Amino acid sequence: MEMINIIAILFSLSAIFGYINYNFIKLPATIGILLIALLISTSLLIAGSLGFQAITNIQILIKGIDFNETLMHGMLSFLLFAGALQVNLDDLAKQKGVILSLATAGVVATTFIIGFGSWWLLSAMGISISLVYCLLFGALISPTDPVAVMGILKSAGAPKSLETKIVGESLFNDGVAVVMFLVILGLVSGGHDVSAGEIVLLFIQEVIGGIIYGLIIGYIGYSMLKSVNEYELEVLITLAMVMGGYALATVLHLSGPLAMVIAGLMIGNHGRMFAMSNKTREHIDHSWHLIDNILNTILFLLIGLEVLAISTDYRYLIIGAIMIPLVLLSRFLSVGFMIGVMRRFRGFTPGVVKILTWGGLRGGVSIALALSMPRGDERDLFLTATYVIVIFSVLVQGLSIGKLVRNSSVQIRK
């Protein structure tokens, strides 16, 4: 099927499911659309098992959408730039220690806890999978993606400091997790051992290089915005920064996600203050808010439909369910340790470890990375497990984090 037809179907389904959710289900938009897509996908699978052939054509359509390519080299750049555009740099600077530790050491710690934990669990179940594959799974499931929970946090009256921690971590840990994933993927598919020197060079190239590159394109974009006063052109400049900047980062083997975050922070703060008129600022905010909402809607629709493209082996589904407590425990241990160390030097909101643990949702990035694993039984198992964890994360954690925040707020007032 031609790409234009696939895009037309995705937009149409997003609008229809959004309408149904708004009028009848009344859940947060992305969560409601995900739930509807998941229910329809499950119904189609049941129909297919009963002999209805239409399911085959629909599965072919879904499998024809390269989720990894669509997200990692299409939607992610827009989503990260749009998210960073709304973050106040002063608020981020106040939480820089927490964000940096969670997005770096926290990701590494979570990767190894999940990697060794899943290896032990699978061995106990009589399933023989090499440790390096389990570590690969740990890397891809480590990054948090709290897009769906941010609206809930705001409506629940989450403290600004807590909101900044969650947003800041999610913006930066994608890039770090992707580097971890690439390093371990090299061990799996490269046919040779990856030396410590190669890991350091990859980190410098991807992470440090991505940050420097983000500063460069952010400065170029800022300079261009400052020299014009026509909001249509200025919106176009920001779009070019994201699309062209991310594409060039991929060619240069730099971290596109980190580059988009840095560029978004520069334009959203320095650019907003010194390079935009009030009219331009308003139009850029509205334009990127709309882009962010539309792409998030389509992303969660795709996640709900992706069940048609993964293995539904009941054993893999059970393993995925078993992995949920392991992922939550790893998050609790890594967050708890980092916060525990930093409590000696600064104060924290009561219940911060619980909220950061439960609010650390997994999302589309984890599924996209799982889809990029080498084909084989290991990929089928961990892709299904990843999907189960993501669905639990969004539907269960996403819908209950608001209550946890409100309860913590009550404790603070007491």
Side-chain angles (χ1 to χ4, degrees), residues 161-413:
S161 61
L162 181 61
E163 185 181 322
T164 302
K165 290 184 186 75
I166 294 178
V167 174
E169 181 195 1
S170 70
L171 288 174
F172 286 99
N173 67 11
D174 284 348
V176 176
V178 169
V179 172
M180 283 287 296
F181 180 84
L182 291 175
V183 168
I184 301 172
L185 186 62
L187 293 172
V188 171
S189 58
H192 66 282
D193 292 334
V194 179
S195 67
E198 288 176 310
I199 294 174
V200 172
L201 287 176
L202 180 63
F203 181 85
I204 292 174
Q205 178 179 340
E206 288 277 349
V207 177
I208 307 301
I211 291 173
I212 294 173
Y213 175 73
L215 289 171
I216 292 172
I217 62 172
Y219 178 76
I220 293 172
Y222 164 76
S223 300
M224 293 177 70
L225 292 172
K226 192 175 181 180
S227 64
V228 299
N229 187 24
E230 183 178 311
Y231 70 84
E232 295 96 336
L233 177 57
E234 293 179 78
V235 171
L236 182 60
I237 289 171
T238 60
L239 289 169
M241 285 176 60
V242 173
M243 299 179 73
Y246 198 92
L248 183 57
T250 302
V251 172
L252 297 175
H253 300 288
L254 305 174
S255 175
L258 286 175
M260 291 303 103
V261 170
I262 299 300
L265 288 172
M266 286 188 66
I267 299 302
N269 288 270
H270 202 63
R272 185 190 302 276
M273 187 176 299
F274 299 110
M276 301 179 192
S277 65
N278 289 333
K279 186 175 184 180
T280 296
R281 193 179 300 118
E282 180 180 343
H283 279 87
I284 284 182
D285 284 344
H286 286 169
S287 297
W288 278 100
H289 179 73
L290 181 61
I291 292 171
D292 190 37
N293 282 346
I294 290 174
L295 291 182
N296 272 313
T297 297
I298 294 174
L299 172 59
F300 280 84
L301 170 69
L302 282 171
I303 292 175
L305 296 176
E306 197 66 20
V307 70
L308 295 171
I310 67 172
S311 171
T312 53
D313 188 317
Y314 75 93
R315 295 172 302 170
Y316 296 169
L317 295 173
I318 292 172
I319 290 171
I322 293 173
M323 293 294 182
I324 291 171
L326 173 62
V327 171
L328 290 172
L329 176 62
S330 69
R331 173 75 176 169
F332 177 77
L333 292 175
S334 61
V335 169
F337 177 78
M338 299 296 172
I339 299 297
V341 171
M342 286 183 282
R343 280 191 193 278
R344 302 177 182 180
F345 313 104
R346 51 166 297 172
F348 285 92
T349 305
V352 63
V353 175
K354 290 188 297 183
I355 295 173
L356 286 174
T357 298
W358 199 247
L361 306 188
R362 271 64 181 183
V365 171
S366 293
I367 295 176
L369 292 177
L371 284 165
S372 68
M373 292 176 67
R375 292 190 177 276
D377 292 339
E378 295 90 351
R379 177 183 182 273
D380 292 340
L381 188 157
F382 286 128
L383 174 58
T384 303
T386 299
Y387 191 83
V388 172
I389 292 166
V390 168
I391 293 300
F392 174 88
S393 178
V394 175
L395 294 183
V396 179
Q397 293 173 239
L399 289 175
S400 57
I401 184 63
K403 183 178 180 180
L404 181 61
V405 171
R406 286 189 290 270
N407 289 342
S408 297
S409 300
V410 170
Q411 292 175 10
I412 294 172
R413 288 193 291 270

Side-chain angles (χ1 to χ4, degrees), residues 34-54:
L34 169 62
L35 179 61
I36 296 170
L38 184 63
L39 291 174
I40 290 178
S41 299
T42 304
S43 300
L44 290 172
L45 285 175
I46 294 173
S49 67
L50 297 175
F52 291 90
Q53 294 301 314

Side-chain angles (χ1 to χ4, degrees), residues 65-76 246 250 368 371:
I65 303 173
D66 190 329
F67 187 91
N68 178 274
E69 186 72 20
T70 301
L71 178 59
M72 301 301 291
H73 298 288
M75 299 167 66
L76 187 61
Y246 198 92
T250 302
L371 284 165

